[in-house]
Amino acid sequence: MNDTVDDPVDGRLAFATTEATDISVLPKRLVRRPHILQIVAGDVAPRTIPLTQDSMSVGRSNEADIRIMTADLSRMHMRIDRTRRGFKCFDMDSRNGVFVNEVRVHSAVLRDGDLIQLGNVALMYHEGS
Amino acid sequence: MSFLVRFWGVRGSIPTPGLQTHRYGGNTSCVELEVDGVRFICDAGSGIRELGIDLMEEGPKPLTAHLFFSHMHWDHIQGFPFFTPVYVPNNHFTIWGPRTGDRRFARLLGGQMRSSYFPVDFHDLGGTISADDLGDGERVIDGVRVRVFHQHHPGVSFAYRFEKNGVSVVYATDSEIDLDLDDPELPLRDPGALRGVPQDLVAFCRGANLLIADGQYTDEEYPKVVGWGHARATTIVDLAVLAEVEQLAVFHHDPMHTDEEISDLIGHCQQRAASHGSDVTVFGAREGFELRLDRPPGRRQTQY
């Protein structure tokens, strides 16, 4: 058991071991946070979508992995692939385009906090671990 | 028509890997243009290594590409020995000189691969590498019109304009246009005022879909680095406004600038463009961005 000493030296916390720690109660591996898309604007917001597959499509179609029923979206509007450089979004020849941080892109490697705009739908990308 | 622009390296001076450059990227200059299947590569900084990896993944088909160099400073050539496709037989690359008979770029590029610097000699590369030039400063290469412009940089540097069917991209890095302002004191006297950049440069950039330009320094930094060969980001905004380009990619990010600092600088540039009444899209060039420019300027795409 580790006890915090109530009387810290120089304002720092100090620890004193009084018993051996039982490591069997510790997690066997670090918990990984998934990469996620967070819908932050549009009719279907707020919503959080974990990127659990290596390739996921976004659009109005029944066939889309992430189906968003909004007139601004094409049937197959955008694809997001896991690549060795990180997740990457691709415009699937959509009518209204894919904008990353207000720049219309054909494709873009995504970084934490990027805002993806598809018509009136805005999605924020969060990098996992 | 298909006109694609891919950013592989956007950093100035030296590669800067790390958490603080994760968003914009730390590789030095390399931009790829693919125009109806014809490939142009501007500069061979460390970013060209990533391009090479992608091209190798596309399969064994013979590859042809045209290489253009702004100049031969280290950060614009250092990636070439690590560009895997040049080692592959049946691949063919042309290194373009800016003037009639100018083969200097091809010679200097090979110089960095002498045995004292690198284990593989330039002449032992498996691919075919030839040299050509832009003659009087303009050539049509595989249907794409290419023009050159001389820039202000220690030892001189060159900007290039690539154009087909009214779609155009200007690649203009390592250029200290602040030394050529009509009124060099204006930025200090009235920082917000529109600066008079050289008219021939404005004409060269006129109406481009995309201007990729060196905007390494903030207004505060620039007085300490006059003569180093790079521009204030705010000055290239004024160039973009005067030349009425559609999009400006602020390029050649300072190796000391963090992602956060670059984003702040870009925000300032966007405000400046708006203050001049311009609707030019200003963004920070970023590794991994691919733009498709298949419409002449003026036919704006739907934006939100």
Side-chain angles (χ1 to χ4, degrees):
Chain A
M1 192 72 180
N2 291 334
D3 292 330
T4 304
V5 176
D6 289 335
D7 186 19
V9 180
D10 297 333
R12 291 173 295 177
L13 291 178
F15 297 91
T17 302
T18 53
E19 282 179 30
T21 304
D22 177 7
I23 62 168
S24 67
V25 300
L26 297 175
K28 290 196 169 50
R29 64 178 64 174
L30 292 174
V31 177
R32 300 181 75 94
R33 276 184 300 119
H35 304 267
I36 59 170
L37 280 181
Q38 184 181 22
I39 303 178
V40 294
D43 298 341
V44 290
R47 199 166 160 190
T48 299
I49 305 159
L51 296 172
T52 52
Q53 301 171 34
D54 287 345
S55 182
M56 298 176 82
S57 55
V58 181
R60 284 188 293 113
S61 167
N62 277 333
E63 309 295 316
D65 298 301
I66 301 168
R67 190 178 184 212
I68 301 175
M69 293 301 293
T70 300
D72 285 346
L73 262 67
S74 297
R75 290 173 54 76
M76 284 292 189
H77 196 112
M78 179 178 76
R79 199 179 77 235
I80 294 192
D81 288 358
R82 189 193 302 271
T83 74
R84 66 181 196 86
R85 299 185 181 96
F87 274 93
K88 186 174 180 179
C89 67
F90 298 82
D91 188 341
M92 298 176 78
D93 286 329
S94 67
R95 188 164 52 88
N96 288 326
V98 174
F99 292 79
V100 174
N101 303 332
E102 300 183 4
V103 179
R104 185 167 188 166
V105 298
H106 188 56
S107 74
V109 176
L110 298 172
R111 295 292 179 238
D112 193 52
D114 278 343
L115 193 67
I116 306 166
Q117 189 126 14
L118 315 174
N120 64 1
V121 178
L123 307 104
M124 185 165 279
Y125 172 72
H126 297 279
E127 279 180 21
S129 57
Chain B
M1 189 186 65
S2 167
F3 200 128
L4 298 163
V5 181
R6 303 184 184 102
F7 293 91
W8 296 99
V10 299
R11 187 69 53 169
S13 308
I14 191 165
T16 52
L19 291 175
Q20 293 194 315
T21 58
H22 183 58
R23 173 180 294 273
Y24 290 94
N27 280 305
T28 50
S29 302
C30 182
V31 175
E32 176 195 11
L33 279 61
E34 189 181 341
V35 187
D36 287 336
V38 180
R39 201 176 306 276
F40 299 85
I41 300 170
C42 296
D43 282 330
S46 64
I48 200 172
R49 176 179 168 275
E50 292 290 320
L51 166 58
I53 292 169
D54 255 37
L55 292 174
M56 294 300 287
E57 286 175 353
E58 286 181 11
K61 61 185 176 189
L63 175 72
T64 299
H66 302 282
L67 272 66
F68 286 84
F69 290 90
S70 58
H71 62 317
M72 285 283 120
H73 283 168
W74 205 14
D75 53 321
H76 297 260
I77 62 171
Q78 64 195 166
F80 183 80
F82 301 92
F83 181 50
T84 314
V86 295
Y87 292 83
V88 179
N90 299 322
N91 284 350
H92 184 257
F93 301 92
T94 305
I95 297 169
W96 288 88
R99 289 178 284 243
T100 303
D102 190 346
R103 302 291 186 267
R104 197 169 50 98
F105 283 178
R107 202 169 60 246
L108 290 170
L109 198 62
Q112 70 167 338
M113 296 180 73
R114 292 199 193 103
S115 61
S116 303
Y117 304 111
F118 197 74
V120 182
D121 192 273
F122 187 71
H123 296 102
D124 294 332
L125 295 174
T128 306
I129 299 173
S130 58
D132 208 332
D133 61 71
L134 294 179
D136 293 332
E138 180 173 335
R139 280 278 292 269
V140 176
I141 302 169
D142 293 340
V144 179
R145 183 186 183 208
V146 184
R147 285 191 283 157
V148 66
F149 185 88
H150 293 226
Q151 302 183 124
H152 213 133
H153 192 70
V156 83
S157 70
F158 302 94
Y160 299 96
R161 181 176 177 124
F162 302 85
E163 194 157 5
K164 184 173 184 180
N165 294 348
V167 178
S168 56
V169 170
V170 175
Y171 178 75
T173 191
D174 291 62
S175 175
E176 191 170 354
I177 59 175
D178 288 279
L179 292 179
D180 295 323
L181 296 178
D182 294 348
D183 178 358
E185 300 303 316
L186 181 63
L188 301 174
R189 214 171 48 245
D190 185 359
L194 189 67
R195 297 164 197 167
V197 298
Q199 283 304 310
D200 52 352
L201 178 58
V202 172
F204 185 77
C205 299
R206 172 78 62 197
N209 290 68
L210 174 65
L211 168 62
I212 303 165
D214 173 352
Q216 182 160 341
Y217 298 125
T218 66
D219 284 5
E220 293 72 30
E221 290 164 336
Y222 181 71
K224 290 172 262 179
V225 291
V226 173
W228 289 23
H230 304 285
R232 295 174 174 101
T234 47
T235 304
I236 62 164
V237 170
D238 292 9
L239 168 62
V241 170
L242 290 166
E244 297 179 307
V245 306
E246 196 170 56
Q247 296 189 83
L248 167 66
V250 180
F251 190 74
H252 206 270
H253 302 309
D254 190 281
M256 294 300 290
H257 286 177
T258 64
D259 287 334
E260 196 174 346
E261 288 167 331
I262 294 171
S263 292
D264 287 347
L265 179 60
I266 299 304
H268 180 58
C269 288
Q270 290 165 338
Q271 288 172 8
R272 184 179 182 90
S275 75
H276 293 325
S278 169
D279 63 353
V280 58
T281 299
V282 181
F283 65 99
R286 190 172 128 171
E287 276 179 39
F289 260 31
E290 178 185 30
L291 310 187
R292 182 173 190 149
L293 313 168
D294 47 10
R295 294 173 180 82
R299 295 165 60 189
R300 300 290 290 224
Q301 296 156 319
T302 307
Q303 295 198 20
Y304 295 88

